[in-house]
Amino acid sequence: SQQGEEDPQALSIQEGENATMNCSYKTSINNLQWYRQNSGRGLVHLILIRSNEREKHSGRLRVTLDTSKKSSSLLITASRAADTASYFCATDAKNYGQNFVFGPGTRLSVLP
Amino acid sequence: NAGVTQTPKFQVLKTGQSMTLQCAQDMNHEYMSWYRQDPGMGLRLIHYSVGAGITDQGEVPNGYNVSRSTTEDFPLRLLSAAPSQTSVYFCASSSLVPGQGRGYGYTFGSGTRLTVV
């Protein structure tokens, strides 16, 4: 079973709007990461948040982490067509040597 | 700086054939891993390595072998291809090994799209 699960599975917004994606996980973690994947490409690391952090920013990205609810959110502000991609959260799990386990992703479409 | 290089980009195999997917990184990363990506399933870990000569199994290791004779290379071998192994395969590397706690991001290759007929 997957450690992380993104919600929604798909999201469609207009350029300039904000996009929010959520990630829920099952067991305690040390770190949570978000990645972006453009169609037909590999994943690109966006941001990492540690379990003792509650919020992190990177450019137009804002990530929050609520360890009591075992959830995280990724906010992309002022979205652009180039933000169209799939977004994955990854959590380090005690299984498999604390390798990162990826959820199924949220497919974001930003319409011009 | 090439990062993580995977070859080939595309491959079609017949059931029962064997092949090796190549992965090389030039960042002197200790950690390397192989994931497969299937629709609706996210990425699932096949095998990983925390250094030359050290490998371990992930979530879905059956039907795959790995070895790590050098820091740079981490090939994935399909022993006898099956249609269930049709997938996109990604190699990833990192400068830190899991569990070190300080936090790190993976660098991914561009993937190998494998079809088994």
Side-chain angles (χ1 to χ4, degrees), chain B residues 93-117:
Chain B
S93 74
S94 170
S95 59
L96 296 176
V97 300
Q100 288 189 336
R102 288 197 289 120
Y104 49 92
Y106 288 2
T107 300
F108 278 86
S110 57
T112 295
R113 185 174 294 275
L114 176 68
T115 302
V116 182
V117 297

Side-chain angles (χ1 to χ4, degrees), chain B residues 40-76:
Chain B
M41 298 290 292
L43 278 76
R44 291 182 293 169
L45 180 66
I46 305 172
H47 286 285
Y48 67 98
S49 169
V50 297
I54 306 169
T55 63
D56 209 341
Q57 296 181 350
E59 181 184 0
V60 288
N62 292 340
Y64 307 95
N65 270 358
V66 291
S67 61
R68 184 95 179 269
S69 56
T70 67
T71 300
E72 294 78 19
D73 300 299
F74 191 44
L76 178 72

Side-chain angles (χ1 to χ4, degrees), chain A residues 1-2 30-31 33 35 37 40-45 48 50 88 92 96-105, chain B residues 31 33 35 37 40-43 45 48 57-59 90 98-99 101-110 113:
Chain A
S1 63
Q2 289 163 345
N30 294 313
N31 302 287
Q33 304 183 46
Y35 287 80
Q37 183 182 34
R41 307 293 294 273
L43 281 72
V44 174
H45 181 251
L48 178 146
R50 298 187 178 87
F88 297 86
D92 58 351
Y96 314 123
Q98 292 185 290
N99 287 271
F100 276 87
V101 179
F102 290 79
Chain B
Y31 173 85
S33 57
Y35 287 85
Q37 184 177 32
M41 298 290 292
L43 278 76
L45 180 66
Y48 67 98
Q57 296 181 350
E59 181 184 0
F90 289 99
R102 288 197 289 120
Y104 49 92
Y106 288 2
T107 300
F108 278 86
S110 57
R113 185 174 294 275

